[in-house]
Amino acid sequence: RVVLASMFSRKILLALGVAGSASAFAPAGPALRVGASKAPVLKSSAPARRPVAASLKMAETAEGFGASHTSFYTSAKAKDSYATLDEILDSKMADKGVRGITKETLAACVKITEALRVNLVTVADAQNSVFGDVQLGVDVLADDIMWDMAKTSKLVREASSEEEPVMVETSKDGRFTICWDPLDGSSIVDNNWAVGTIVGIWDKTTGMLGATGRDQVTSIVVLYGPRTTALVVCDDGVYEFTCGAGNKWFASRERIQIKQDSKIFSPANLRACQEDKGYDELVKYWMESKYTLRYSGGLVPDVYQFFTKEMGVFANPTSKESPAKLRVAFEVAPFALLVEKAGGKTSDGVTGGSCLDIKITAVDQRTAACLGSAGEVDRFNTMVLKK
């Protein structure tokens, strides 16, 4: 179990400037460590830092003056202890092989975390993107780390990267096909905004080509922000893991559920509003209904928030002048599995059917998509697709 340590020790470390690894970005509040004691222990000698609210005199303000009027804060409550990655996977992921590839993937993402902490965001010396996209040094570093994992793993049979979308056999004796976007959010990483890694995993019985997203044995999305966190599909739902002290993962959220309705929206590809009347009307509906806009331009943070806020909708329709951009195998299928396993819904942006039912016929296949709270995806299908 992961046990809570004192806030005081964490403050001392931060004052000394200890950083450079995922362990320096443990959750706010009491620092987290792996304790030897079996019983959960809560220690905190920190004095109260704020006066009692009732003793404060506040000026009268109009309704909605505070940020909380339009913002949605976490509902998570601190616990005395948290289950470790091994504890959750051993009890919630029956297949030993799937447990193994999940752990190997998360270990690679710890290395990506450390690389992001110490490397500047600059254009890569060699540009190898087959699409003509500008590759950054951190893109190449993240991709190299994922390839090192895939090529040395005894579990991986074949692999493909969004940076180089060809299927590569890594081990004839391996079991899994693994596809990844090593660093989604290249256009915003120079701002030091949150970015992430997206991973889809298929068994050799189906492979990825000719299969669908529904055939995935699991999918994993890792978010690199002030903390490094990961969403993982287990047998009974979606779990979030946080990378804590010593780069050890612990379960920060269990069996996440996305609510039917939402008041948060993330509208991608707004250029399409100029050609698509339905999408234009949908965006206006969200604004006129006073939904809260939460959109960064990074797929990982924009969809990841559904699992922390427990609601949301991400829409990325297409038009003649704004064609499909999202890749099925590397982005949409992994996220769609997470969303639907958490009780949300997805739309392929064409038929209105689930993104998990798109047959993958090419490594670089693209699609429109809408993901999130079921009621909002239904609204997208009605207003944009007329379904």
Side-chain angles (χ1 to χ4, degrees):
R1 309 291 287 184
V2 173
V3 184
L4 296 176
S6 71
M7 292 179 66
F8 179 75
S9 60
R10 182 174 183 271
K11 289 180 178 179
I12 293 296
L13 289 174
L14 291 176
L16 292 173
V18 177
S21 70
S23 60
F25 293 85
L32 291 159
R33 61 178 175 83
V34 178
S37 172
K38 293 183 179 180
V41 179
L42 177 62
K43 298 179 180 178
S44 180
S45 58
R49 293 178 294 170
R50 297 180 181 177
V52 178
S55 66
L56 298 177
K57 293 183 178 180
M58 302 295 291
E60 292 186 7
T61 56
E63 181 181 358
F65 181 79
S68 60
H69 185 71
T70 56
S71 299
F72 297 89
Y73 295 94
T74 183
S75 60
K77 304 293 184 182
K79 298 190 295 184
D80 288 349
S81 65
Y82 296 80
T84 65
L85 174 67
D86 286 344
E87 287 173 336
I88 292 294
L89 296 189
D90 287 346
S91 62
K92 305 298 182 181
M93 192 175 276
D95 191 305
K96 182 179 179 180
V98 180
R99 292 201 302 269
I101 190 63
T102 297
K103 292 178 184 179
E104 289 181 3
T105 300
L106 291 177
C109 290
V110 168
K111 295 178 181 179
I112 293 174
T113 297
E114 294 174 334
L116 288 173
R117 300 295 181 225
V118 299
N119 284 278
L120 295 176
V121 177
T122 58
V123 176
D125 292 335
Q127 295 293 309
N128 298 314
S129 172
V130 298
F131 308 111
D133 296 337
V134 175
Q135 283 186 308
L136 304 177
V138 288
D139 288 325
V140 176
L141 282 170
D143 200 35
D144 286 346
I145 290 169
M146 291 300 294
W147 275 116
D148 287 344
M149 180 275 293
K151 291 178 179 179
T152 57
S153 172
K154 295 181 179 179
L155 295 170
V156 178
R157 182 183 184 87
E158 55 184 7
S160 184
S161 166
E162 187 262 355
E163 295 291 322
E164 190 178 351
V166 294
M167 195 62 70
V168 177
E169 184 180 88
T170 57
S171 172
K172 292 182 179 180
D173 297 325
R175 175 181 167 188
F176 299 108
T177 296
I178 179 170
C179 299
W180 64 79
D181 184 343
L183 200 64
D184 182 81
S186 296
S187 65
I188 61 174
V189 69
D190 57 341
N191 298 336
N192 204 23
W193 292 1
V195 293
T197 298
I198 308 172
V199 183
I201 304 172
W202 287 259
D203 190 83
K204 67 179 181 181
T205 55
T206 65
M208 185 270 283
L209 290 173
T212 68
R214 206 173 293 282
D215 293 317
Q216 293 171 102
V217 295
T218 189
S219 67
I220 302 167
V221 171
V222 178
L223 179 68
Y224 311 108
R227 294 167 293 124
T228 294
T229 57
L231 297 171
V232 179
V233 174
C234 293
D235 297 342
D236 63 341
V238 177
Y239 288 72
E240 180 193 64
F241 297 93
T242 293
C243 191
N247 291 334
K248 302 295 184 182
W249 295 94
F250 63 90
S252 41
R253 297 175 191 268
E254 301 182 16
R255 300 191 66 185
I256 301 168
Q257 286 292 300
I258 298 173
K259 298 173 184 176
Q260 173 86 11
D261 300 312
S262 175
K263 293 296 288 184
I264 295 173
F265 73 114
S266 304
N269 198 13
L270 285 173
R271 296 182 185 88
C273 288
Q274 300 177 49
E275 302 174 81
D276 190 325
K277 183 179 178 181
Y279 190 38
D280 184 53
E281 291 176 347
L282 177 59
V283 173
K284 287 178 179 176
Y285 169 84
W286 285 329
M287 292 190 295
E288 292 170 359
S289 299
K290 298 183 178 180
Y291 282 43
T292 296
L293 173 66
R294 288 291 181 267
Y295 180 70
S296 72
L299 180 65
V300 172
D302 290 339
V303 179
Y304 196 108
Q305 65 181 326
F306 304 167
F307 301 87
T308 53
K309 304 301 184 186
E310 299 178 351
M311 62 176 163
V313 59
F314 172 88
N316 193 328
T318 61
S319 66
K320 183 178 179 180
E321 297 298 324
S322 301
K325 181 180 179 182
L326 298 177
R327 295 163 171 88
V328 179
F330 303 111
E331 298 167 318
V332 176
F335 251 131
L337 187 65
L338 283 160
V339 167
E340 294 198 16
K341 288 292 186 180
K345 190 171 184 177
T346 66
S347 168
D348 63 10
V350 179
T351 70
S354 168
C355 291
L356 292 178
D357 293 325
I358 300 173
K359 186 175 182 179
I360 304 172
T361 57
V363 176
D364 187 49
Q365 184 175 339
R366 313 290 182 99
T367 186
C370 182
L371 308 90
S373 295
E376 294 303 327
V377 176
D378 287 339
R379 195 187 315 280
F380 173 89
N381 285 342
T382 299
M383 296 183 69
V384 180
L385 305 183
K386 312 302 180 186
K387 302 291 186 182

